Amino acid sequence: AGSQLWRVTRMGCPCCGDEVANTPHSRDDESDLSKGPVKNRRCTDSLCLPAFLFAQLVWLIVSAAGVTDGDPSKLYKPRDYRGGFCGVESNWHDGPNTASHPALSYTMNVSAVTDIVMQQTLCSSHARTVLETLLLSSQMDEYLCDCCLVPCSRCEGATYKGGDLATGADVQTVISSRMGELTDFANAESLFRPSGANGDMFSTNAFWESATKYFNQVCLPECQSAAFTDNLTDIRVFNYTPSMDSV
């Protein structure tokens, strides 16, 4: 193989040139690595060692403090749609105690589901007739715009609101039926039927294409938990709150 070795071009050294890269050298000199690392070697970054050791010490202190004052299990436990951890006694911002609810599953998003019912009620012909006698002219203009009943800058066009309600009797009958399916467990089986009071919303492909809008991730005792139990003290209550850009 000859008494000389050829040094390969060093990576990351575009300025070395062919003369340096191809300079021959003999075996057993200080650059010979054929038998392993050179014997006369030393740490070339000694000044970095104290900084590295200090960083490791700080990491150990922070980790110990986190384990002592925090809950390491929050690194892997699931979180509900509000950011609360499942299966822990204390949550941030005085959140609920979910120690008995370690599993993450889906339940109905009350605000999204009842939003169309609320719009159908407030934007109906009957509501418009009543409000015309109660609101000022400027307030009525805001109402008509919010309901997309007239062209305005905040409305891109007519929107579906579940059908018009012309009389107070219509409001009583239709809205009661729709809310009855959403709140009465005895009527839950008809919720997704096309013939049900909410069939126009829950039995269409549009509903399933946006299922994440109508369902929230929440903490439950187990993934197969029933929607209703006799333990009423263990049920979390959610109130409907319309979004700022809704009616």
Side-chain angles (χ1 to χ4, degrees):
S3 61
Q4 291 183 335
L5 299 175
W6 291 87
R7 184 180 305 161
V8 297
T9 302
R10 289 173 289 181
M11 296 183 64
C13 184
C15 301
C16 295
D18 294 339
E19 182 178 353
V20 175
N22 297 320
T23 300
H25 61 83
S26 301
R27 289 183 183 276
D28 299 326
D29 65 10
E30 62 179 7
S31 300
D32 182 17
L33 301 179
S34 61
K35 297 180 181 180
V38 296
K39 296 180 180 181
N40 184 20
R41 64 184 186 275
R42 59 185 177 83
C43 180
T44 58
D45 300 313
S46 301
L47 296 179
C48 295
L49 289 177
F52 174 75
L53 295 175
F54 177 75
Q56 296 302 306
L57 177 62
V58 172
W59 178 81
L60 290 174
I61 294 174
V62 172
S63 298
V67 172
T68 302
D69 299 331
D71 186 355
S73 65
K74 290 183 178 180
L75 294 173
Y76 58 83
K77 287 190 174 180
R79 306 180 71 174
D80 65 12
Y81 78 102
R82 288 181 171 177
F85 291 92
C86 300
V88 299
E89 292 185 359
S90 61
N91 267 297
W92 63 296
H93 286 191
D94 297 324
N97 182 347
T98 60
S100 60
H101 295 67
L104 186 69
S105 189
Y106 287 88
T107 60
M108 187 170 290
N109 181 347
V110 179
S111 294
V113 170
T114 57
D115 187 63
I116 187 67
V117 181
M118 184 271 294
Q119 291 189 42
Q120 184 181 21
T121 303
L122 294 182
C123 298
S124 64
S125 296
H126 177 70
R128 179 176 180 176
T129 300
V130 173
L131 292 175
E132 283 178 344
T133 62
L134 301 175
L135 300 180
L136 299 175
S137 177
S138 58
Q139 294 174 327
M140 194 64 191
D141 291 339
E142 291 289 325
Y143 161 77
L144 295 175
C145 180
D146 288 336
C147 285
C148 291
L149 297 176
V150 296
C152 65
S153 59
R154 298 195 303 274
C155 184
E156 297 180 354
T159 58
Y160 177 72
K161 304 178 183 64
D164 189 27
L165 304 174
T167 66
D170 292 339
V171 174
Q172 177 67 26
T173 302
V174 175
I175 301 304
S176 296
S177 298
R178 300 193 74 164
M179 293 304 299
E181 288 184 350
L182 296 172
T183 58
D184 188 350
F185 291 101
N187 297 327
E189 63 181 41
S190 62
L191 185 60
F192 295 97
R193 292 179 180 175
S195 59
N198 294 283
D200 57 341
M201 181 171 63
F202 291 101
S203 64
T204 62
N205 291 333
F207 169 78
W208 297 109
E209 291 172 356
S210 58
T212 54
K213 172 184 176 182
Y214 297 101
F215 292 93
N216 283 328
Q217 288 184 311
V218 298
C219 301
L220 296 175
E222 58 184 13
C223 292
Q224 302 300 324
S225 296
F228 174 75
T229 65
D230 294 331
N231 185 10
L232 297 180
T233 60
D234 200 31
I235 293 180
R236 296 173 64 185
V237 178
F238 300 96
N239 297 320
Y240 167 71
T241 303
S243 57
M244 294 301 295
D245 57 351
S246 295
V247 177

